[in-house]
């Protein structure tokens, strides 16, 4: 092995390329700049296994690795088939070809003797502490090839601080799940059974991800590896909205963290690439940091530039009112006007009409018979335009709910005459839950239909806010390509193109991304939309826990938190719910036009305080304290979310107590400095500041508060 380095510096990150001039291999090493001393030259080269040495043999201890892993159908796989498609002939045949640094992008080319190439780009944006990675495959072999695997990113040689087999490594993952999004889990390499055996005969891999069109189902496409001895974290997130996978794998002393489209084995994805053609893997974001919160903040920092491009009114984080938990699928013109009259002269900007505005099947929660998108004439006798005009007179932007990717039983378009516009698998119509089918967005007839039913409808009815829902996953894939997995990928790319078409034709439209709550909390969808529903947890006590979890996975400025208010709530419950809304975008619902005078006063106080916290929510940094239990439906203990503004002069503390809350004084750490209380949403809870501690007392079970703090030094 003949090693050499080439290094680039971006912000607090050192990007080091490790070359083996003997094999032609090259890999990427990412380090915090102030911890840039690695141990590669001190590493053992051979295992020195006694059983092998005594018979005149030995095994290599490590290899340089690769910038990307690829598997071509016609070439030999590695020894990990069934467990991983990495480490095969297609990857080991790649040789370093060239590297250039243009503007803010490092472009590295790898080529194989057969004629295929990999172009690996690492791009840095100013004021960001993460890197954008794209990997592109070129086929110049003279014949078509089938890609079974192509990674979006690969961080090989973990940990760079290890001199022998890496130990003390942890894998951090974030679980999905309906109404329980964002749970952080940690497992050691020993618990994953990835520790090193006596010699390296077979690669081992922890391959995980999501299959289908709900890309945040059991996992978020975000993970990290921690070296607990060096106190360094490496992390990545994928910008992907179809089936995906990540892998923590080992074939030597070193570990490799990689990810991209779910491959042939995991998700049924493979793709034909004709001679002369190319394919680009989904974008990935990578970073390194000394703690998990900083790492996640680095990865999320890549998305502010997209949020900044949303319509101008979004930059002030307006409050939303959505009537879903008011009418539960039975909205009407009269009810919307009554709600608007109560909310006049408040910071609420958007009034959203949720599911049920169409001519739906009764008692179906607004779901049955969707797809024709004809309004319910009995509940909107003047049409949606009349409602929009009345709301506009009162100073509101009208919002409307659509689930335009599906059709449901009872709609004309759900019928057999329109099967050609729907997705199929193995020639059979894809139906989920017995009554939901999926339009095929690769079909021009579908796009023409939705141009009229969605885009023209929004324009003609003066609607300025669109909530897009998606309440089902098509599963492993669909027809229309060589593999069902690639059919799914191409279909979702066409769905995203339709979102872009909406934006092109209606540039001032605010779009909300929802998929049964948080099943599409991915970079790809969130970059196209102004905000996203954080969860379908509408009224549960778990709302603040889910909201706090998601601060590591999405920008709070884009997380829409349900705050359902009703007159039968006592003051503790009322404040518990209101304070939850400060964890992101405050989205109210419920019978707010029937609140008591005391409740109305508290609501107005909350909205005024929220206005003063907007910049902290938009650009702050979050730390979560406390000990809520694992079962979010049976919470005990407490939680405090402290979010500090980017200028370090303001902070927002959102505190919730659950069952069996501590009876004494809670002590919550604050950032350095002298702090004072500048605004609060509380009734009986006592708050004191002593040094860098926020002291909370006189709090009862299931109470909550939101506090605005300012520095005085």
């Amino acid at each position: 092995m003949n090693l050499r380095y080439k290094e680039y510096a971006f912000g607090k990150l050192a990007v080091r390329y490790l070359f083996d001039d003997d094999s032609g291999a090259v890999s990427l090493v990412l380090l915090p700049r102030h911890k840039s001393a690695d141990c590669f030259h001190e590493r053992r080269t051979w295992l020195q296994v006694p059983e092998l040495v005594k018979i005149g043999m030995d095994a290599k201890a490590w290899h340089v690795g690769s910038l990307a892993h690829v598997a071509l159908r016609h070439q030999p796989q590695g020894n990990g088939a069934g467990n991983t498609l990495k480490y095969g002939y297609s990857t080991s045949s790649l040789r370093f070809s060239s590297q250039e640094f243009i503007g803010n992008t490092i472009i590295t080319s790898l080529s194989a003797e057969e004629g295929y190439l990999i172009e690996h780009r690492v791009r840095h944006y100013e004021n960001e502490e993460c890197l954008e990675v794209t990997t592109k495959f070129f086929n110049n072999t003279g014949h078509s090839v089938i890609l079974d695997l192509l990674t979006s990113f690969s961080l090989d040689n973990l940990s760079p601080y290890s001199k022998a087999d890496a130990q003390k490594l942890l894998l951090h993952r974030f679980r999905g799940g309906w109404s329980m999004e964002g749970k952080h889990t940690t497992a050691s390499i020993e618990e994953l059974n990835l520790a090193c055996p006596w010699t390296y005969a077979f690669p081992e891999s922890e391959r995980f991800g999501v299959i289908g069109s709900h890309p945040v189902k059991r996992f978020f496409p975000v993970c990290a590896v921690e070296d607990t001895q060096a106190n360094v974290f490496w992390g990545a997130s994928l910008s992907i909205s179809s089936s995906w996978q990540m892998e923590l794998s080992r074939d030597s002393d070193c570990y490799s963290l990689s990810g991209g489209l779910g491959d042939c084995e995991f998700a049924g994805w493979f793709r034909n690439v004709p001679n002369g053609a190319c394919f680009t893997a989904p974008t990935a974001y990578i970073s390194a940091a000394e703690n998990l919160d900083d790492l996640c903040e680095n990865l999320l920092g890549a998305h502010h530039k997209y949020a900044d491009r949303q319509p101008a009114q979004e930059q002030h984080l307006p409050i939303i009112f959505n009537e879903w938990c008011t009418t539960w699928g039975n909205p009407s013109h009269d009810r919307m006007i009554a709600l608007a009259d109560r909310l006049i002269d408040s910071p609420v900007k958007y009034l959203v009409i949720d599911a049920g505005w169409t001519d739906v099947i009764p008692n179906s929660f607004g779901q049955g018979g969707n797809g024709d998108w004809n309004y319910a004439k009995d509940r909107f006798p003047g049409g949606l335009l009349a409602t929009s005009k009345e709301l506009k007179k009162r100073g509101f932007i009208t919002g409307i709910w659509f689930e335009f990717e599906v059709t449901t039983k009872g709609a004309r378009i759900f019928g057999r005459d329109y099967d050609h516009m729907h997705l199929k698998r193995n020639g059979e119509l894809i139906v989920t839950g017995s009554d939901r089918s999926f339009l095929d967005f690769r079909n021009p007839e579908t796009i023409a239909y939705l141009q009229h039913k969605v885009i023209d409808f929004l324009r003609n009815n003066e609607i300025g806010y669109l909530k897009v829902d998606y309440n089902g996953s098509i599963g492993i894939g669909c027809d229309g390509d060589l593999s069902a997995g690639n059919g799914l990928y191409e279909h979702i790319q066409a769905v995203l193109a339709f979102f872009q078409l909406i934006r092109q034709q209606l540039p001032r439209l605010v779009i909300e991304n929802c998929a049964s709550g948080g099943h599409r909390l991915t970079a790809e969808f969130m970059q196209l939309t102004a905000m996203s529903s954080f969860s379908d947890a509408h009224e549960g006590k778990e709302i603040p826990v889910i909201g706090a979890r998601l601060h590591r996975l999405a920008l709070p400025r884009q997380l829409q938190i349900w705050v359902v208010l009703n007159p039968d709530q006592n003051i503790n419950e009322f404040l518990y719910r209101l304070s939850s809304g400060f964890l992101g975008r405050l989205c109210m619902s419920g019978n707010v036009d029937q609140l008591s005078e005391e409740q109305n006063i508290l609501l107005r106080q909350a909205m005024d305080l929220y206005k003063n916290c907007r910049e902290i929510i938009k650009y702050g940094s979050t730390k979560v304290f406390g000990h809520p239990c694992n079962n979010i439906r049976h919470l005990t203990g407490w939680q405090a979310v402290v979010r500090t503004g980017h200028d370090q002069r303001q902070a927002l503390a959102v505190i919730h107590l659950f069952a069996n809350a501590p009876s004494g004084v809670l002590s919550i750490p604050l950032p350095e400095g002298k702090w004072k209380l500048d605004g609060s949403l509380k009734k009986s809870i006592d708050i004191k500041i002593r040094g860098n501690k926020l002291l909370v007392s006189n709090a009862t079970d299931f109470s909550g508060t939101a506090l605005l703090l300012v520095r005085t030094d």
Side-chain angles (χ1 to χ4, degrees):
M1 194 180 303
N2 184 13
L3 297 180
R4 64 182 174 90
Y5 293 161
K6 190 167 186 180
E7 187 166 316
Y8 303 85
F10 298 110
K12 298 177 182 178
L13 296 173
V15 180
R16 182 171 299 158
Y17 289 86
L18 185 61
F19 299 87
D20 178 4
D21 288 336
D22 287 346
S23 67
V26 56
S27 62
L28 185 150
V29 180
L30 195 60
L31 300 166
R33 284 179 66 184
H34 69 287
K35 285 193 172 184
S36 60
D38 61 48
C39 294
F40 291 121
H41 284 288
E42 301 175 56
R43 270 190 181 160
R44 61 180 182 177
T45 303
W46 299 93
L47 285 182
Q48 293 291 301
V49 179
E51 296 95 324
L52 297 179
V53 171
K54 69 182 180 182
I55 60 173
M57 299 176 63
D58 205 352
K60 272 286 190 75
W62 70 290
H63 311 274
V64 162
S66 184
L67 292 176
H69 290 263
V70 59
L72 301 180
R73 179 72 57 86
H74 69 283
Q75 293 183 337
Q77 298 181 23
N79 280 337
N83 179 231
T84 181
L85 288 176
K86 294 163 69 172
Y87 309 114
Y89 182 86
S90 303
T91 299
S92 63
S93 296
L94 292 168
R95 302 287 184 269
F96 172 71
S97 179
S98 66
Q99 187 173 85
E100 53 186 341
F101 185 34
I102 302 175
N104 59 354
T105 304
I106 308 164
I107 306 170
T108 309
S109 296
L110 309 173
S111 60
E113 187 175 348
E114 187 179 343
Y116 59 90
L117 300 91
I118 294 287
E119 181 185 88
H120 183 271
R121 290 176 176 250
V122 173
R123 184 175 185 179
H124 178 257
Y125 289 88
E126 189 176 1
N127 300 320
E128 293 182 3
E129 296 298 337
C130 77
L131 302 167
E132 180 185 279
V133 180
T134 55
T135 302
K136 194 171 186 177
F137 173 86
F138 293 86
N139 179 20
N140 296 323
T141 62
H143 56 87
S144 292
V145 300
I146 295 177
L147 272 176
D148 281 339
L149 165 74
L150 178 64
T151 57
S152 294
F153 77 95
S154 189
L155 294 173
D156 289 4
N157 288 307
L158 298 176
S159 163
Y161 303 107
S162 298
K163 297 179 183 179
D165 55 316
Q167 301 178 39
K168 307 296 184 182
L169 298 186
L170 301 178
L171 175 63
H172 295 262
R173 293 182 279 190
F174 298 91
R175 294 274 182 174
W178 183 76
S179 290
M180 49 186 177
E181 293 87 346
K183 181 175 177 59
H184 171 227
T185 63
T186 304
S188 68
I189 53 174
E190 291 81 11
E191 290 168 327
L192 296 168
N193 208 26
L194 290 177
C196 297
W198 66 274
T199 191
Y200 300 128
F202 297 92
E204 301 288 348
S205 183
E206 177 75 0
R207 182 168 56 182
F208 62 96
V210 169
I211 296 171
S213 52
H214 267 171
V216 178
K217 192 67 176 174
R218 295 308 299 156
F219 289 99
F220 280 73
V222 179
C223 74
V225 171
E226 176 188 359
D227 183 331
T228 60
Q229 291 179 318
N231 293 318
V232 173
F233 290 73
W234 296 271
S237 67
L238 292 170
S239 182
I240 191 165
S241 302
S242 53
S243 300
W244 61 270
Q245 69 183 43
M246 287 188 175
E247 292 188 68
L248 179 61
S249 54
R250 174 197 49 72
D251 78 329
S252 66
D253 279 352
C254 304
Y255 291 81
S256 167
L257 179 66
S258 63
L261 284 163
D263 64 28
C264 174
E265 291 185 336
F266 182 80
W269 176 90
F270 50 92
R271 183 182 181 98
N272 181 64
V273 183
N275 181 55
C278 60
F279 175 70
T280 303
T283 300
Y285 301 92
I286 59 174
S287 189
E290 291 184 82
N291 63 70
L292 187 60
D293 286 329
D294 286 351
L295 177 72
C296 292
E297 186 177 325
N298 289 351
L299 294 171
L300 288 176
H303 307 313
H304 277 295
K305 56 183 174 288
Y306 300 102
D308 289 341
R309 296 172 191 169
Q310 294 299 319
Q313 67 264 28
E314 268 299 284
Q315 303 313 311
H316 305 294
L317 310 191
I319 296 172
I320 308 102
F321 184 91
N322 179 307
E323 58 71 43
W324 174 247
C325 298
T326 309
T327 73
W328 295 103
N330 294 285
S332 67
H333 172 86
D334 291 343
R335 196 76 180 90
M336 293 305 298
I337 301 308
L339 292 164
D341 286 341
R342 177 53 64 97
L343 294 168
I344 279 179
D345 298 326
S346 76
V348 174
K349 186 73 172 177
Y350 309 127
L351 251 63
V352 182
I353 305 168
D354 211 291
W357 63 268
T358 53
D359 193 12
V360 295
I361 297 172
N363 302 315
S364 66
F365 278 109
Q367 302 295 308
N370 279 325
D372 298 333
W373 304 116
N374 299 316
Y375 69 89
K377 294 180 180 178
D378 57 332
R379 285 177 283 121
F380 294 92
L384 269 297
L385 180 59
T387 305
S388 287
K389 287 184 177 295
E390 287 299 318
L391 294 180
K392 187 178 293 185
K393 286 179 186 176
R394 291 160 172 80
F396 297 104
I397 292 173
T398 302
I400 200 86
W401 173 95
F402 268 95
E403 192 182 359
F404 53 64
E405 294 170 62
V406 309
T407 65
T408 56
K409 189 175 181 179
R412 178 180 54 88
I413 195 174
F414 186 81
R416 306 274 317 168
D417 290 344
Y418 296 89
D419 281 1
H420 66 285
M421 291 172 61
H422 288 76
L423 294 175
K424 299 179 180 65
R425 185 164 53 242
N426 299 325
E428 298 292 336
L429 195 70
I430 299 173
V431 181
T432 64
S434 78
D435 62 358
R436 185 180 303 271
S437 292
F438 302 83
L439 290 171
D440 186 346
F441 277 65
R442 299 163 298 178
N443 186 338
E445 194 173 341
T446 296
I447 303 305
Y449 179 81
L450 294 177
Q451 168 72 47
H452 170 62
K453 288 291 185 176
V454 178
I455 300 177
D456 294 346
F457 173 89
L458 295 170
R459 182 188 295 111
N460 295 339
N461 288 281
E462 299 180 9
I463 290 169
Y465 183 110
L466 170 64
K467 176 178 179 176
V468 182
D469 209 345
Y470 184 66
N471 292 306
S473 170
I474 72 169
I476 197 165
C478 56
D479 295 343
D481 201 89
L482 186 64
S483 68
N486 199 57
L488 169 62
Y489 172 75
E490 294 291 353
H491 164 69
I492 293 296
Q493 291 305 299
V495 170
L496 293 163
F498 184 72
F499 274 77
Q500 292 169 333
L501 182 65
I502 296 172
R503 168 66 61 232
Q504 290 166 9
Q505 295 193 31
L506 303 171
R508 298 178 63 184
L509 182 73
V510 174
I511 305 176
E512 175 194 341
N513 163 44
C514 179
S516 299
H519 285 93
R520 274 181 169 173
L521 289 175
T522 64
E524 201 164 33
F525 269 102
M526 296 187 77
Q527 288 172 1
L528 284 175
T529 55
M531 65 189 105
S532 295
S533 175
F534 89 119
S535 178
D536 265 357
H538 299 111
E539 298 197 64
K541 291 179 171 61
E542 62 270 27
I543 287 174
V545 175
I546 297 172
R549 289 174 174 179
L550 292 177
H551 276 223
R552 285 174 167 168
L553 300 166
L555 296 174
R557 67 188 286 190
Q558 291 187 293
L559 277 178
Q560 195 175 112
I561 312 290
W562 286 103
V563 177
V564 180
L565 305 173
N566 285 303
D568 60 351
Q569 295 161 4
N570 62 41
I571 295 305
N572 260 5
E573 183 179 5
F574 198 76
L575 291 174
Y576 185 98
R577 296 186 179 207
L578 272 174
S579 54
S580 299
F582 285 73
L583 294 172
R585 297 297 297 275
L586 201 162
C587 177
M588 293 192 298
S589 192
N591 296 291
V592 297
D593 55 337
Q594 299 169 19
L595 299 178
S596 69
E597 182 178 355
E598 183 181 19
Q599 289 173 323
N600 268 315
I601 291 171
L602 288 172
L603 174 56
R604 292 287 173 158
Q605 288 176 354
M607 290 191 289
D608 289 341
L609 180 62
Y610 187 86
K611 286 171 62 178
N612 294 330
C613 297
R614 290 179 299 189
E615 286 302 303
I616 307 172
I617 295 168
K618 192 173 180 181
Y619 292 123
S621 300
T622 295
K623 297 290 182 185
V624 181
F625 306 96
H627 307 285
C629 69
N630 276 327
N631 191 323
I632 60 173
R633 291 297 292 167
H634 302 281
L635 288 169
T636 59
W638 63 281
Q639 173 184 279
V641 177
V642 179
R643 186 164 175 83
T644 309
H646 70 284
D647 62 358
Q648 304 295 307
R649 304 298 303 174
Q650 289 186 308
L652 168 64
V654 181
I655 303 163
H656 286 87
L657 291 95
F658 312 120
N660 303 320
S663 57
V665 177
L666 291 180
S667 179
I668 300 165
L670 294 174
E672 291 298 320
K674 295 181 179 179
W675 296 90
K676 74 170 185 177
L677 193 62
D678 195 46
S680 65
L681 178 65
K682 64 187 182 71
K683 193 71 174 178
S684 59
I685 295 177
D686 292 330
I687 302 294
K688 293 180 181 178
I689 299 173
R690 188 171 298 157
N692 291 105
K693 300 291 184 183
L694 183 65
L695 305 179
V696 181
S697 59
N698 197 33
T700 58
D701 287 1
F702 294 107
S703 58
T705 184
L707 310 171
L708 175 61
L709 308 168
V710 295
R711 275 182 64 171
T712 60
D713 58 338

